[in-house]
Amino acid sequence: MQNYLETAVAALIAAAVALFLVEVVHRLTRRFGRRSLLLTELTDHAHRPFQVAATVLAVQFAVRFTTGYAVGESWRRLLLHLLILGVIATLAWLVACLLVVVEDTALARFRVDVPDNRHARRVRTQVVMLRRLTIAVIVILTVGVMLMTFPSVRGIGAGVLTSAGVVGVVAALAAQSLLGNVFAGLQLAFSDAVRLDDVVVVEGEWGRIEELTLSYVVVQIWDDRRLILPTSYFTSKPFQNWTRTEAAVLGTAEFDVDWAVPVQTMREELRRLVEGTELWDGRVCVLQVTDATGGMVKLRALVSAADAGSLWDLRCLVREHLVAWIRDNRPTAMPRMRTELGDANSNLPWQWVQPRRPARRLSDTEAPDDARVFGGSDDGDARSEAFVGPE
């Protein structure tokens, strides 16, 4: 009875000493690491697993060295085995926390709340994917090491290695889809095809990459729905990434109007509208006649914005304003269907009616800047060279 009491007291003393030493290290680290982000993260996130791991390890050593009187007893073997399993699990927990702290410290150097955050989002995506992979590997290795502590598992190790080829083939066939998604997730993380917070168009839906894992991708659609797609979707099917190089994008608003529409006057009205709103980023403002068939003229207003959300609001504003402008100021430009009636001999009374005011003409033969998409400005010249090639 006295031996058991001594073992319990030794275990309690070992646990107390371990907790005391961990607390001393914690306070020293907190005091001298105020200016270090890494040490601050360590004191905040690794303190608890460090306490548990040190305590279990100290108790394991105390029990092992104070139970020499019970060598060969089944209860001693069981207790030491349980303590060894606890040491393995807590050390794995501590290693995982240390790796997470290092990853969080690396992420803190790259801010995503700035306008030009493409590189930061790329690093963030890669670090998040590595974190998930790291934790998965640590869990698998921990379970494997814990299983190897059982003699029966070690005994069948040779047989398992002998049949590893057959089992590997069967497992690969059974988990083909899962493994394909895992490798697709790694490919997405390091190929820079898609990143967290990228604005994409998939399956006809416009949204933002909210979560990217090794097996699936969560797209937050503009109306707060969530579209869940396997990672292999983004490596096997085409999709639109609106923010791969930069967040600024172009958008159109199209109008079907009558041939009587004053294009240049409407172009000037569009320019006046966008210059008076903060949604426009000042890059592109173009109004062009893109079609003139079927008795109507199709006008396309091309505008630019700093991001996809601002572009959507700007396009809606352009439509709303120009529709009201045509209705109130140029009602003759509203879409109309013309019918001509002739007599029995099919004679049509053709007449030409002079317009109320003379048509406005440009001073030269060149189209104005806001009538050209590929030219007329620095941005238009760059777009022309990108799609046509240098002269």
Side-chain angles (χ1 to χ4, degrees):
M1 184 65 181
Q2 184 178 359
N3 292 331
Y4 297 121
L5 183 60
E6 291 177 354
T7 299
V9 172
L12 292 176
I13 293 175
V17 171
L19 291 175
F20 174 76
L21 294 177
V22 169
E23 188 64 24
V24 171
V25 173
H26 175 69
R27 291 181 179 274
L28 291 176
T29 306
R30 181 180 292 274
R31 180 177 180 181
F32 295 103
R34 294 177 180 177
R35 297 183 180 180
S36 174
L37 179 61
L38 178 60
L39 293 180
T40 302
E41 291 289 334
L42 283 174
T43 56
D44 292 338
H45 295 87
H47 178 55
R48 183 65 62 186
F50 189 25
Q51 278 184 328
V52 177
T55 303
V56 176
L57 185 62
V59 171
Q60 191 266 343
F61 279 116
V63 171
R64 180 180 296 274
F65 291 116
T66 59
T67 55
Y69 57 88
V71 175
E73 296 289 338
S74 59
W75 67 266
R76 182 178 184 271
R77 289 196 302 269
L78 178 60
L79 180 59
L80 290 177
H81 192 195
L82 292 176
L83 289 173
I84 291 175
L85 294 178
V87 169
I88 295 173
T90 54
L91 287 178
W93 182 22
L94 178 60
V95 171
C97 289
L98 293 177
L99 293 177
V100 169
V101 166
V102 173
E103 293 166 353
D104 288 339
T105 305
L107 283 178
R109 299 175 54 189
F110 301 92
R111 298 180 55 186
V112 296
D113 56 345
V114 294
D116 187 11
N117 60 358
R118 185 174 67 90
H119 179 64
R121 290 189 290 111
R122 176 184 180 183
V123 174
R124 181 185 175 191
T125 302
Q126 294 175 352
V127 171
V128 169
M129 296 295 290
L130 284 177
R131 172 183 297 178
R132 298 179 185 276
L133 181 62
T134 300
I135 294 177
V137 170
I138 290 176
V139 171
I140 293 174
L141 291 178
T142 303
V143 173
V145 173
M146 294 175 69
L147 290 176
M148 290 302 293
T149 61
F150 292 91
S152 57
V153 175
R154 290 198 302 268
I156 63 175
V160 171
L161 292 176
T162 303
S163 58
V166 179
V167 174
V169 173
V170 175
L173 293 176
Q176 182 178 5
S177 177
L178 176 61
L179 293 176
N181 286 328
V182 171
F183 287 115
L186 294 175
Q187 180 181 349
L188 289 180
F190 293 96
S191 65
D192 203 25
V194 65
R195 301 172 298 266
L196 292 173
D197 292 330
D198 269 350
V199 178
V200 297
V201 178
V202 289
E203 296 294 320
E205 299 285 358
W206 172 59
R208 179 183 64 87
I209 301 296
E210 182 181 42
E211 186 178 357
L212 201 157
T213 70
L214 290 175
S215 57
Y216 64 89
V217 178
V218 179
V219 180
Q220 180 184 4
I221 305 176
W222 65 273
D223 56 0
D224 284 340
R225 290 179 294 153
R226 299 302 192 274
L227 184 63
I228 313 297
L229 296 169
T231 51
S232 58
Y233 176 93
F234 292 89
T235 59
S236 60
K237 295 185 179 180
F239 64 95
Q240 299 181 35
N241 188 339
W242 287 15
T243 56
R244 189 176 187 275
T245 57
E246 59 180 354
V249 285
L250 304 179
T252 62
E254 295 185 334
F255 305 89
D256 287 328
V257 293
D258 190 75
W259 286 61
V261 61
V263 178
Q264 182 59 28
T265 305
M266 189 172 176
R267 184 177 291 131
E268 295 172 357
E269 182 65 21
L270 173 64
R271 170 69 63 172
R272 188 189 66 81
L273 168 66
V274 297
E275 288 179 349
T277 175
E278 60 182 9
L279 298 174
W280 187 50
D281 63 357
R283 291 191 302 124
V284 179
C285 173
V286 175
L287 182 68
Q288 291 179 310
V289 179
T290 58
D291 202 356
T293 58
M296 287 185 291
V297 174
K298 182 180 291 293
L299 300 182
R300 187 184 71 175
L302 180 65
V303 291
S304 62
D307 53 70
S310 299
L311 179 66
W312 174 265
D313 291 338
L314 180 59
R315 293 170 63 193
C316 294
L317 178 63
V318 168
R319 293 191 192 97
E320 179 181 347
H321 181 84
L322 292 184
V323 165
W325 180 82
I326 293 175
R327 183 193 64 226
D328 298 337
N329 298 278
R330 297 293 188 273
T332 57
M334 297 176 65
R336 291 182 292 175
M337 297 297 296
R338 292 179 173 85
T339 302
E340 294 183 342
L341 300 178
D343 55 17
N345 296 323
S346 298
N347 296 320
L348 299 175
W350 287 93
Q351 294 182 353
W352 176 255
V353 180
Q354 294 292 336
R356 296 181 179 178
R357 60 179 66 182
R360 193 171 183 178
R361 298 184 179 276
L362 298 174
S363 58
D364 52 20
T365 58
E366 291 292 331
D369 292 346
D370 50 4
R372 302 171 63 185
V373 175
F374 300 96
S377 63
D378 294 340
D379 189 80
D381 292 338
R383 192 178 303 107
S384 175
E385 184 174 339
F387 284 91
V388 180
E391 296 181 357

